[in-house]
Structures are given as C-alpha cells and as structure tokens.
Amino acid sequence: MNDEPRGASSARTADPARTALTHGSELLRDGPVADACAALLTAAAELRDSDPPSARGALVAAASAAWAAGDREGYRRILEPGPCPVCGAASGRTCGAGGCPDADWRARCIGMQAVMDADFRRAAALLGPRLHRITPRAQAHELRDAGGVALLLGRLPTARRVLGLALASARSTRTQVELPDILAHLAYAELREGRHHQARAHAEEGIALARRLGQRNAVAELSAVRALVVSIAGDLSAVREQADEVMAVAQAHGLAQAAFLAQWAQARAELGSGQVARAAARLAPLVQPGARQGHFGLWFLAVPCFVEACVLSDRAVDATEMIDLFAVWAELGADPQAPAQLARCRALVAPAERSEGLYRAALAHHEGAPGPFEHARTHLAFGMWLRRRRRPTEARTQLRDAFMGFERCGAAMWAARAGAELRAAGETTGAGESGVLSSLTPQQVRIARDVASGATNREIAAELSISIRTVEYHLRNVFAQLGVRSRTGLAHLLANADR
C-alpha cells in the first residue's frame, strides 16, 4: 500500500530536492514505482540536513514504493538507520538516550525491518507504542500511517478502526489526493478480516475517486482488492476480466502487490468453481520460495488456497513443504486466522485417522478469530471429507453450516459449491434445480455445471472424489438427457438457460 510523504503537495520549484520529492510522489500514484523510489531517495538525501521531517517522509514513501514493487532488499536498505547523529546509537540499533529526537524514527525503521525478518515480538515492542499514542484528533496522514503499522502487525480490528478515522479526517479536510490510498488500506484491512461487503464498497469508492484524480496505481491496487471480493461473490469470467485490468497497469508500473492479489483472486475463483488444477498451477509460483514468488510480504495469504487446490488435483506432495512454511508464519501470531487455516491444511493431507481431529481443531480456532468466509471453508472441507467417508448425516451438518456461512458473507460462488455437496450428501438447499436440469440427479447437475464452467474431467473427478471413468459415464448421460453432443453445446445450453 502507498505512503505519501509530507510536503509532497508543495508546488514545484527550482529546488532540485523539492522537484524530486514532488516527482516521486506523483510517480508513486501514477507511474513506475521503481522510478518513484529512486526519485524519493534522491529527495531524502538532499533534504536530510535542511529538512529532516520531509526527508523522513520521503524515505517512508520510498519504502512504500519498494513494497509495492515487491523489492524486499530495497525495502530493507531504505529502512536501515545509520548511526544516530544525536545520541550516537550504532547503526541498526534504537536510541539509548532518553528524549533523543531520533528515537521514534529509528524505532519505526527497526520495527518495520523486524517485520521483514518475521520477528513480530520485536516488531510489536517497537511499533506498538505508535498505536497507543494515536488519537482521533491526529491528522489524516498520521492515522493512515498508524493503520499501516497495525496491518503489518496483524492487528486487524485496530487497523480498521484507525483507518476509518483517517478516512473521516481526510474527508473533513477535503484532502482528496490522500483518499484513494486510505481507502485502499481500509478495504484491504476489511478483506483480511472477512468483511467482504464493506471491502467492496470502499474499494469501489476508491476506484471511482482514483480514476478522477488520475491515480492509476491506486486504481490497480483497489481493483485487485475488488477482484478478491468478486472471487467469492461473482463468476469466474468477471474475476478474470477485473484481474486483466489490474495486470495491464501492474505489469507496466511494476506493481508486484497488485499483481499478486489479482492472480490470487483468479486462483480462488478457479478453486471455488472446481477448476482445481488450474488454481494449483496459478498459485505455485506465487507462494513457493524463489525468485518468482509473488510478493515477499503477502505470499502466506494464498497458501491455504494452494494447499487445497493441490490436494483436490492430486498434487498433495506439492503442498507438504508449503504447509511447513505456513506453520512458521502461523506460529508468529501476526494473523488471527492462520492457526485455523493451518489446522485445515494439515487435515487435508493427513492420514484418515488424524484428519477428523485436525478439522475439529480448525473449527475451534475459528471460534476465536474473525473471518466468516474462512470458517465456512473449513466446514465445507470437513463436510466433503465426511461425505467421502460415507458419513452423510455428519457431512450434512458441516455442509449446512458451510452453505449458510457462505450465504451470510455474500460468497455466492462458494455457496453454490457447498449446495452441490449438500445435495450429493442427500439434502436439498431449496426448491432444487428447475428448467433444463430438472431431470438430472444432483451429481449430474454438478458435473454439468462444472463442465460448462470449463473444468476438465480430471478436475471434476478430483473435486468429487470419483474416478475419471465415472465422470465420463455421468457426462454421457447428461449429454443424452439434454440433447447436446459436446461440452461447448452444454455450456451454451446452460448459459442461455441462466439468462
């Protein structure tokens, strides 16, 4: 997410430092973020002695540019404080003298580096006091900075509250140029906490405003958040269309964060619609260690989707290493949903005698964490497991909870998936299928809809835990009963029937 330095709104002058500061700030909102970072670092160096507050603001903005670009080493270098000129604290260490004017700045830099090192205990000790000092009377940029710190620490309710105050402050002072960035942070916090309706509302407000202001980078960041919401609420084609819009800007301007979120949105929609092999292939380079990893500070968010996609597409071996890496993240305590997600991931790959206990442990963790969507996903996974073990009565209990949970949080695509599982377990979720599909069995309906959405026979077999030959048998019967001869004909028939 983007930071804007103080003093960036000043008019251009002949002063090279101010020119670089203004240019860097403009590029951060609409241009290649690597160029923005270079300009802001130039400004910071020029302003270090004459205007330390503006120099620090330029460094914070440069760090935001590095974050947006997914430049881990650049982010670390920018936040590496040298020896303190006041109290003499060594490079990379906090100030020891009480009342040192550099103490707060150095604590911030070192705390953000600790986040990069996954040392959240130290990060919380250094950055936490900033959250305690913030008050509703603070200026919009101070509130936005504090909200960003809360997000880094995984304190999602605090982030949402403080960013809400930042939004109100910016609106009251009519500082429109800051609003898209604040809205992007707020929508992201709401998304992380499972508040999808609010996240979409704030993302769409931010997109409209950023377009009016010509802030294409903000449009891409906000559109990526919206695509993630649509990945549970809409259809696959809508997600792909929105992701393509994000990527057009993200690739040109080097926005690794926006690109990661857009790719994750597509994969989550593919997973929800049954295209599990595609989801696994899309997610692999985003989450696995190496030069192609999607974003150094976000990869862990997509691991649960990757693990599920791998298991359902018969690639469980690829998921094992990622579960171990995700466990390290979950144990840090910076993400309240991670313990439940970790238990679910372990249940997906565990032997049958251990899976049930892990699913129940995941559900217990969900009770103490936000995120109704993730809670419903665990009910769905557990229900599918129970149905495969021919325990339909218990399966229906879990699948019912999944169906209701998805409906409550607006996850229409996932509610349809849970409903199909529930029908396959012997229960209807309403009036049942009508029209052209009314003559089909629940299993045939699901296969027909999966085929129409583009899933392969192998993907459908993995999703339903049946053989490919069984899928082929059902599909032949579907073709015969509906009077179509091909997968394309079936897709056209269902598309016209759903209009």
Side-chain angles (χ1 to χ4, degrees):
M1 300 297 177
N2 292 338
D3 249 316
E4 183 176 347
R6 302 298 92 211
S9 58
S10 303
R12 286 179 183 266
T13 68
D15 183 349
R18 298 293 170 184
T19 299
L21 182 61
T22 302
H23 183 53
S25 301
E26 291 172 349
L27 287 174
L28 192 54
R29 294 188 292 266
D30 187 14
V33 287
D35 295 351
C37 188
L40 290 163
L41 288 175
T42 298
E46 294 291 332
L47 294 167
R48 182 181 297 119
D49 297 326
S50 62
D51 189 352
S54 292
R56 290 171 182 171
L59 284 175
V60 171
S64 284
W67 177 281
D71 181 2
R72 182 190 182 102
E73 293 309 311
Y75 188 85
R76 286 188 59 84
R77 285 195 303 271
I78 291 165
L79 295 173
E80 180 67 45
C84 179
V86 180
C87 70
S91 177
R93 295 190 176 275
T94 56
C95 296
C100 178
D102 270 10
D104 186 64
W105 166 248
R106 293 175 69 80
R108 174 177 181 163
C109 289
I110 296 168
M112 293 172 77
Q113 284 190 324
V115 172
M116 294 301 96
D117 296 333
D119 186 352
F120 281 88
R121 181 172 298 178
R122 190 180 192 209
L126 292 169
L127 299 175
R130 293 178 59 83
L131 301 180
H132 296 309
R133 289 195 299 269
I134 204 73
T135 71
R137 295 183 179 181
Q139 295 182 35
H141 73 274
E142 295 172 324
L143 291 162
R144 179 252 168 260
D145 287 348
V149 166
L151 272 174
L152 283 174
L153 296 178
R155 298 181 182 179
L156 303 182
T158 299
R160 185 167 46 82
R161 177 179 59 83
V162 173
L163 290 165
L165 292 172
L167 183 61
S169 176
R171 283 172 170 161
S172 68
T173 56
R174 300 182 182 276
T175 50
Q176 282 202 331
V177 71
E178 296 184 4
L179 278 172
D181 183 46
I182 294 171
L183 285 163
H185 278 76
L186 179 56
Y188 181 67
E190 290 166 334
L191 182 75
R192 289 279 308 277
E193 206 174 10
R195 297 172 177 267
H196 294 91
H197 295 297
Q198 296 94 322
R200 182 168 189 167
H202 283 127
E204 290 179 345
E205 178 187 354
I207 290 167
L209 179 58
R211 282 177 174 155
R212 288 202 303 272
L213 296 173
Q215 297 183 11
R216 284 182 293 174
N217 291 356
V219 171
E221 296 285 359
L222 286 153
S223 296
V225 172
R226 183 179 62 178
L228 274 165
V229 176
V230 175
S231 73
I232 69 168
D235 58 37
L236 186 55
S237 61
V239 177
R240 285 175 173 163
E241 181 179 346
Q242 293 188 21
D244 286 345
E245 291 179 7
V246 173
M247 294 302 293
V249 177
Q251 290 174 330
H253 290 181
L255 302 173
Q257 174 173 275
F260 172 89
L261 296 177
Q263 289 295 309
W264 179 28
Q266 284 197 80
R268 192 159 75 172
E270 288 163 345
L271 180 58
S273 64
Q275 299 185 28
V276 292
R278 285 184 176 89
R282 189 183 300 279
L283 288 169
L286 299 184
V287 300
Q288 292 175 331
R292 295 173 61 202
Q293 191 178 60
H295 192 284
F296 66 88
L298 301 175
W299 63 270
F300 56 87
L301 294 174
V303 169
C305 287
F306 175 67
V307 170
E308 184 176 344
C310 284
V311 170
L312 293 176
S313 58
D314 201 26
R315 292 175 50 181
V317 65
D318 295 337
T320 305
E321 179 187 4
M322 291 310 305
I323 293 175
D324 292 338
L325 291 174
F326 188 71
V328 175
W329 163 254
E331 290 165 6
L332 296 173
D335 188 337
Q337 295 190 78
Q341 293 173 316
L342 175 63
R344 184 177 74 217
C345 288
R346 284 177 168 159
L348 285 165
V349 300
E353 63 272 14
R354 291 188 58 229
S355 291
E356 182 168 356
L358 288 166
Y359 277 124
R360 295 195 184 281
L363 291 172
H365 283 303
H366 279 302
E367 293 298 332
F373 174 69
E374 288 298 322
H375 197 165
R377 282 183 67 178
T378 299
H379 280 302
L380 174 61
F382 189 21
M384 291 171 62
W385 183 87
L386 289 166
R387 187 176 72 80
R388 291 196 300 270
R389 298 301 179 283
R390 293 178 171 80
R391 295 162 63 179
T393 301
E394 296 167 273
R396 286 195 294 270
T397 298
Q398 296 297 325
L399 295 169
R400 229 176 271 127
D401 288 341
F403 181 78
M404 297 300 181
F406 289 137
E407 279 203 328
R408 280 195 295 272
C409 62
M413 183 186 299
W414 289 75
R417 180 179 170 191
E421 284 288 337
L422 195 50
R423 289 190 295 274
E427 180 177 317
T428 61
T429 57
E433 293 293 342
S434 60
V436 296
L437 300 181
S438 60
S439 63
L440 304 183
T441 67
Q443 189 87 302
Q444 289 171 339
V445 169
R446 180 159 186 187
I447 290 171
R449 290 198 177 279
D450 284 349
V451 166
S453 70
T456 66
N457 288 358
R458 181 178 295 277
E459 289 172 335
I460 296 168
E463 179 72 11
L464 298 180
S465 298
I466 57 180
S467 69
I468 296 176
R469 183 171 295 179
T470 301
V471 174
E472 293 170 347
Y473 168 77
H474 283 305
L475 194 54
R476 285 195 297 272
N477 289 335
V478 168
F479 285 173
Q481 290 188 60
L482 300 184
V484 296
R485 296 184 177 182
S486 67
R487 304 169 87 91
T488 302
L490 176 60
H492 287 161
L493 177 67
L494 296 191
N496 291 330
D498 289 338
R499 288 177 181 171

